[in-house]
Amino acid sequence: MTVQTTQPGQSRQSAASTQNAPLPAATPVGYPRIGPDRELKKAEEAYWAGRIDRAEFARRARELRRATRTRLAELGLAAAAAAPESFSLYDQVLDAALAVGVVPDRFASVLGADGTIDDDGLFALARGVARGKGEQPPLEMTKWFDTNYHYLVPEIGPDTDLHLASTRVVDLFRESLEDGPGTRPVLVGPLTLLLLAKAQDGAPESFDPLDRLDDVVAVYAQLLSRLAAAGAPWVQLDEPALAADQRLDQSALAAALQRSVGRLAAGADRPQLLVTTPYGGIGDLLPTLLATGAEAVHLDLTRGELPTIAQLDGVDTVQLVAGLIEGRSVWRTELPTAAARLAELRRRVTEAGGEAAAISVSTSVSLQHVPHTLTLETSLPAELVATLAFADEKITELVTLAAGSVEPGAVDGPRSVPRTFEGVQVPAVRERAASATTADTERATYEERAEAQRVALGLPDLPTTTIGSFPQVAEVRAARAAHRRRELDDAGYEQAMKEEIARVIALQEELGLDVLVHGEPERNDMVQYFAENLGGFATTEHGWVQSYGSRCTRPSILFGDVHRPAPITVGWATYAQSLTPRPVKGMLTGPVTILAWSFVRDDQPLGDTAAQVGLALRDEVTDLEAAGIRIVQVDEPALRELLPLREVQHADYLDWSVRSFRLATSGVETATQIHTHLCYSEFNVVVGAIDALNADVTSIESARSRGEILEAIDPGAFPRGIGPGVWDIHSPRVPGAEEIAEQVRRARAVVGPERLWVNPDCGLKTRGYAETEASLRHLVQAVREVRAEAEVTVVA
Ligand code: GLN
Ligand code: ZN
């Protein structure tokens, strides 16, 4: 390959002047890419729907990148390489996978004749290929570390043809030279890429994606040489896998680091390397990382501790990038504390023989987890605003800190600006939480409960139910939006919701389901709905963050003591129950999930906040019961997601998370049945906690991970009701009755007919009515068949 030495756009900046310049004094790990007005989402959805053509889509994406670069320069990241190039059309893991050709065989047809992949190919992997065009499900999606961002899981096999399949990162860098002095290209690093990847279907049992490390590194090396040729002084490799406990032990991880980053750093034809380690501390891996030859190393100093002098061995040849500003919270940084920690780090670096003056200040993680800017918010209380910082405000903090003008305070001072206004401390809430005892988390034995519930509910074997939401049709969303804008009055809104509830109840009766739901039409989002109705939360107008691809959420801000001023769901649930003799499940979101999907206060332990939420929900649960609701479901889909990345912290987490759920659900009578629902198949790690939740019935996602869940559920260890999902609601596919019956038979063989429930994998909110009706009809039919077989067996 001949390397071009002159590139378009490079003329305004001579490569020689920047190619060994140090990193600027302030630089974040990453920046939001959806745009302050969700420009990316809007452009993508318009393009996918065919409302705009490819050229218009490209023009809008280009415009967003230009605006972002201009904004970052205005905020003080004007120097070459100061602004990370955070743009991604869909997901940064997918970008890295495509850059090095990690494209599973099943998508071979989206590669061009020259082995490259374009935007449409990228979207095909991300979103799947429709029937008629060679139907292919998309790459699997899962949570990125302990965040609410989802990445696409790369699939790789022993024979995957690894090659430069996309030079997007080079193109973006070249483009950035048209807008200014050039950004810093960012790529998920090779080690993290492979640790997050899975073996593609059909790969031998013994194959581990890491087996391809050398091959992947070879392609990264080619990419680095392209970037060097384009004139990039720095490239950032994100290696968050170093901050999480992985399937590799520390020494294997250290060796893999040497084999990846070490090998890349040994190459001559490359930009300078910054390796970031967001989402936690890397402890004793630091000396290995410092020895790889990378020119700069980033540390998350909000979750991780300041490195010791011993851990800084090797820092004399490396520029440290100190992640002192919390990148994933919305709280304004207590700058004197950050300045003191920076001063202490400088002292230790000097002592270890390094160059203290070279330290750059940074964020702990990419700012992709926080909204763009606080300046768009018009309705947040001023005292709250004074304690908040979104992405742009955090960049200003970085620049301020780097300028050295902040007088250092105490190293162990508060990490964020203290909040002291009304609602932060509510004495009655604190007293109640302080006086909660173990007795408040206990119920009668499961045997007593099961018997009382059998008598009270009179359900058949293999009871059928759904997870809560029904399809959110356009009229329902329109009514909610009109009510929010006050174009629809309360009475009109209530009427619209009641009509939908009546429709959903009638449908479920007609389908023959045993335990009904009201369908959750009044909820835009299962967390935001509760946040809006509980004290202690604030909601933003424009605080969007990317969840995955074009999907964004607007997390609420939990700033104060949480309490429930009035019942929230009781009216809807009792209305639904009034329409049918069958039991209607009350439907609540659990404390852990409410915390996980909100921005949470950092001025007290998470467990204390969770207990407050648990107690507020406890009032709702007992009010539902008093109003005649005999089954209440408390969803905890995020239980797995908040699990700390380090095993040593698991026990403490499981302790407080379980306690908060039990505080919410243990105030009811023996005959009242408590359900919980969990999402995400990879749940083996929390199986003990699920048991400890002490719910009478647990429904859990399982259709996508065929059988794995049943294997994890040892009937001896999990002696209560369980509903492994039998319909993958993430796909528009309608499962046949026979296919469902087969799953029910298998589950029944493991679990036994008395404890097995039959339900879909998750809520039906995102599905259409046609597929919902057909699938539920098959589900009920399947259960009838299996019940009939059981009767025959009993007779015989
Ligand atoms: N009850 C919720 C629903 O059905 C549960 C959603 C979830 O688990 N994510 O929508
Ligand atoms: Zn779910």
Side-chain angles (χ1 to χ4, degrees), residues 416-597:
S416 62
V417 171
R419 294 169 289 276
T420 50
F421 47 89
E422 201 192 318
V424 175
Q425 302 250 351
V426 180
V429 174
R430 309 212 138 226
E431 278 153 31
R432 184 178 183 201
S435 60
T437 65
T438 318
D440 296 324
T441 62
E442 276 161 6
R443 301 184 65 195
T445 65
Y446 175 68
E447 287 64 36
E448 289 171 291
R449 276 147 44 199
E451 179 54 21
Q453 291 161 19
R454 195 184 60 76
V455 173
L457 296 168
L459 294 170
D461 272 358
L462 307 178
T464 55
T465 191
T466 61
I467 306 304
S469 57
F470 265 69
Q472 291 231 336
V473 290
E475 302 88 85
V476 168
R477 276 184 272 137
R480 255 197 343 251
H483 184 234
R484 206 172 42 236
R485 291 194 302 265
R486 300 188 204 286
E487 287 156 20
L488 182 64
D489 64 11
D490 290 353
Y493 172 71
E494 188 171 327
Q495 189 52 35
M497 293 301 118
K498 282 189 164 170
E499 275 165 23
E500 179 63 14
I501 291 172
R503 206 157 80 92
V504 167
I505 293 287
L507 173 64
Q508 294 172 88
E509 287 196 312
E510 191 262 314
L511 288 168
L513 289 159
D514 299 310
V515 171
L516 313 192
V517 295
H518 79 289
E520 305 178 24
E522 77 287 8
R523 302 182 195 176
N524 42 351
D525 172 282
M526 64 186 287
V527 168
Q528 201 184 331
Y529 177 72
F530 287 93
E532 282 168 0
N533 287 284
L534 289 168
F537 288 87
T539 39
T540 67
E541 294 157 272
H542 303 278
W544 296 100
V545 296
Q546 186 183 30
S547 169
Y548 65 89
S550 69
R551 292 293 186 95
C552 302
T553 62
R554 195 153 42 95
S556 298
I557 300 174
L558 192 172
F559 66 88
D561 285 346
V562 176
H563 53 102
R564 188 195 67 146
I568 302 170
T569 65
V570 178
W572 304 125
T574 49
Y575 174 67
Q577 185 65 83
S578 75
L579 302 172
T580 175
R582 299 182 187 216
V584 170
K585 273 196 284 196
M587 200 61 58
L588 307 177
T589 302
V592 178
T593 301
I594 289 182
L595 259 53
W597 296 349

Side-chain angles (χ1 to χ4, degrees), residues 144-146 191-192 195-196 238-246 248 250 253 257 275-286 289 298-301 303-305 328 364-365 643-650:
W144 170 248
F145 297 90
D146 57 347
L191 198 51
T192 296
L195 280 167
L196 297 184
D238 290 332
E239 289 289 9
L242 300 178
D245 284 335
Q246 298 288 349
L248 298 183
Q250 288 294 98
L253 205 51
L257 195 54
V275 179
T276 71
T277 61
Y279 305 103
I282 61 164
D284 289 334
L285 268 182
L286 181 54
L289 185 54
H298 158 273
L299 296 173
D300 174 352
L301 298 178
R303 289 219 176 156
E305 301 295 323
R328 56 193 293 184
S364 57
V365 302
L643 189 74
L645 300 175
R646 295 292 188 196
E647 257 162 49
V648 290
Q649 292 158 3
H650 286 188

